[in-house]
Amino acid sequence: MKEQNDKTITAHCGDTPTSHSCVPRSALVTGASRGIGRAIAQALAEEGYRLYLTCRRSEKELTELSYQLSETYHIACTPILADMGDMQAVNEVFAKIDDLTLLVNNAGVSHIGLLHEMTVQEWQSLMNVNLNALFYTCRLAIPMMLKHHAGHIVNISSVWGNAGASMEVAYSASKGGMNAFTKALAKELAPSGIQVNAIACGVIDTDMNRCFSEEEMSALRAEIPADRIGQPSEVAGLLLSIINAPSYLTGQVITLDGAWQT
């Protein structure tokens, strides 16, 4: 099975040029086997992007998704099993990528509990995936984008990166770091035509929220003015809007939360 994850799954021709450029559109989406990452992968496949999809554990789901997208949308799709919080693993991912016009840093983990009861190993593991991975991926993706004097980096963040959450201090810190990373890198890359933005998600219907009981989710829903939980497809839709927006849109952390933490 490992060998299949190192191969491109494709049904027909993979690359579709943008309407304003002859550069083939290709995207790396991390944490793509389920939830928000999966929805983003599908949305980009519909747009004709060549895809590189990663996940840490769900090998079967990722391979099946890649095959489904390549067959349905006739795009090249490469599934790669990798821990994006491990620098060597990220290096190996990029060894399979010859060009990149879009990087979506979506892979993330959460931790709920009192800070003083959190172990050093748990803290470091969360920071590796949620924050260090940004450095690992961006440092390798940027040179590819510089060749075209264009590109997009979109980081999937959280409202807790803006406001902070009790019992989720480490997660909040990692997403706050992601937001600052986004704004700083956008300033650095704006002269090179590369846009860097983030989406700060509110409560989205993903496996990350399966730890809450039905009663807890109902109480949480009551706090949201939109009176519902967000869908992964809505995050994917916003991402498409961001990458199709004017080049002047960069350095922004855009909140998608049904007015919950506004």
Side-chain angles (χ1 to χ4, degrees):
M1 196 63 162
K2 177 63 168 66
E3 288 77 7
Q4 186 174 10
N5 274 337
D6 291 340
K7 296 178 182 178
T8 298
I9 296 176
T10 179
H12 299 284
C13 178
D15 294 335
T16 302
T18 63
S19 59
H20 55 80
S21 171
C22 62
V23 179
R25 296 181 296 177
S26 54
L28 168 61
V29 183
T30 69
S33 64
R34 62 186 67 183
I36 292 172
R38 186 184 184 94
I40 289 172
Q42 180 164 339
L44 293 175
E46 291 177 6
E47 293 292 309
Y49 274 80
R50 176 178 182 177
L51 296 177
Y52 300 91
L53 308 179
T54 78
C55 75
R56 184 164 57 169
R57 297 192 184 95
S58 305
E59 182 178 33
K60 182 175 182 289
E61 290 88 342
L62 187 70
T63 303
E64 290 176 349
L65 173 64
S66 298
Y67 183 78
Q68 173 195 333
L69 295 180
S70 65
E71 286 290 308
T72 303
Y73 301 107
H74 311 306
I75 53 97
C77 191
T78 304
I80 308 170
L81 197 67
D83 179 357
M84 302 309 289
D86 181 291
M87 185 177 66
Q88 183 56 40
V90 176
N91 289 341
E92 292 172 4
V93 168
F94 274 83
K96 299 176 174 67
I97 301 174
D98 55 10
D99 199 19
L100 202 65
T101 57
L102 169 62
L103 168 63
V104 182
N105 284 306
N106 169 71
V109 294
S110 64
H111 179 91
I112 299 177
L114 296 170
L115 181 68
H116 70 273
E117 294 179 351
M118 188 177 192
T119 68
V120 172
Q121 182 179 9
E122 288 172 332
W123 173 276
Q124 291 176 338
S125 178
L126 183 146
M127 289 298 172
N128 281 340
V129 176
N130 290 8
L131 191 55
N132 292 349
L134 300 184
F135 169 62
Y136 302 152
T137 58
C138 288
R139 66 187 286 269
L140 296 173
I142 289 168
M144 297 182 185
M145 297 179 184
L146 289 174
K147 292 188 301 183
H148 307 300
H149 199 78
H152 291 271
I153 297 172
V154 181
N155 301 317
I156 305 303
S157 187
S158 165
V159 292
W160 295 145
N162 301 331
S166 173
M167 303 287 286
E168 294 189 61
V169 175
Y171 182 78
S172 299
S174 69
K175 293 303 182 178
M178 175 182 278
N179 293 349
F181 183 102
T182 297
K183 294 176 182 180
L185 187 60
K187 293 178 180 179
E188 186 172 310
L189 295 179
S192 300
I194 300 171
Q195 295 165 250
V196 187
N197 293 288
I199 299 173
C201 298
V203 185
I204 307 297
D205 187 17
T206 68
D207 287 346
M208 191 174 284
N209 295 316
R210 298 292 183 263
C211 61
F212 298 112
S213 67
E214 186 174 333
E215 183 179 358
E216 289 171 328
M217 288 301 295
S218 179
L220 185 57
R221 190 180 300 110
E223 297 177 7
I224 302 171
D227 195 32
R228 66 178 179 84
I229 304 302
Q231 295 301 310
S233 59
E234 293 178 292
V235 183
L238 178 54
L239 182 137
L240 290 182
S241 297
I242 289 171
I243 63 178
N244 288 312
S247 60
Y248 211 55
L249 181 71
T250 190
Q252 303 305 304
V253 178
I254 302 169
T255 300
L256 182 70
D257 70 348
W260 179 40
Q261 293 294 320
T262 301

